[in-house]
Amino acid sequence: MHPEVEAGRGAVVGRFAPSPSGPLHFGSLVAALGSCLSARSQGGQWLLRIEDVDTPRCVPGAAEGILRTLERCGFEWEGPVVWQSARGGAYRDAFERLQAAGRIFGCACTRKEMADSALARDGTRRYPGTCRDGLPPGRAARAYRLRVPSGTLSFDDRVQGTIAEDVAADVGDFVLLRADGLFAYQLAVVVDDAEAGVTEVVRGADLLDSTCRQILLQRLLGYPVPAYAHLPVACNVAGEKLSKQTLARTVDGTDPARLLVDVLDFLGQRPPADLAASGLAAVWAWGLGNWSMDKVPRQRTRPAPGYA
Ligand code: GLU
């Protein structure tokens, strides 16, 4: 844990955790500004983590581009940037703890073999439980899954209200160590947030369906459960999530003060009409002084006018 964060224990710690799968776009700026203003307006700290655990999905140069855009918009984070690609040892320790507790099993199923199983809420296949009680004869483990206990889990999201899910029924035993040898995002995010002392997770509502899986892992690993706030995801007027390329182009070509005011507006904060003309420092000062999570619209998606 970073010493400054350690010293601040007990206080609010927020974070922004972009995946470097493309340039920073309007939707990611929403999560960046919302998480930063929420933590800072409570006198807390805000951390930055690059989620490059899924190396095949990382785009060369994207992480550096994200950092440049954040700096251009006046974001300042506490301590060094954490890179998931350097944290395999921490994920392995957590994985081995779960394994020692009998929570993990090896799975031989290929994607093709599971193609007929039901679709989970997030569009992935629900695991039918084929290898739960042992590998079929002559087959070797490809991936490793968590043995998910049955029962409904719920949490109170500060924006979206009470969310409940029966992970065993909806998702089934999910993968923690993938067939390509990489640790799954669900495990990495939980280990990283716990080790960094994160007390609140403010991010896009596209991750709402992952949260119960993450809370389950936090409980099994004995980690505290942070507070959650899932912000609306930017979409076009037709309600479709915007492509990274379209949004990124408009973000790069826009004055940063104007951009942050548009994000504040998108998040229901009602900034004054002339705020952007006052410059970037004034926008930050207004945001820190006026941020209210209660004003964020309780929507999973929301049109981002001008960026569609
Ligand atoms: N890396 C994820 C993304 O860019 C965010 C994960 C999180 O905030 O928990 O969508």
Side-chain angles (χ1 to χ4, degrees), residues 15 17-19 49 51 185 189 193 201-203 206-207 214:
R15 54 43 160 205
S19 304
R49 177 171 77 233
E51 299 214 311
Y185 155 72
V189 73
D193 283 342
V201 171
V202 179
R203 60 186 178 188
D206 50 333
L207 289 155
Q214 293 170 14

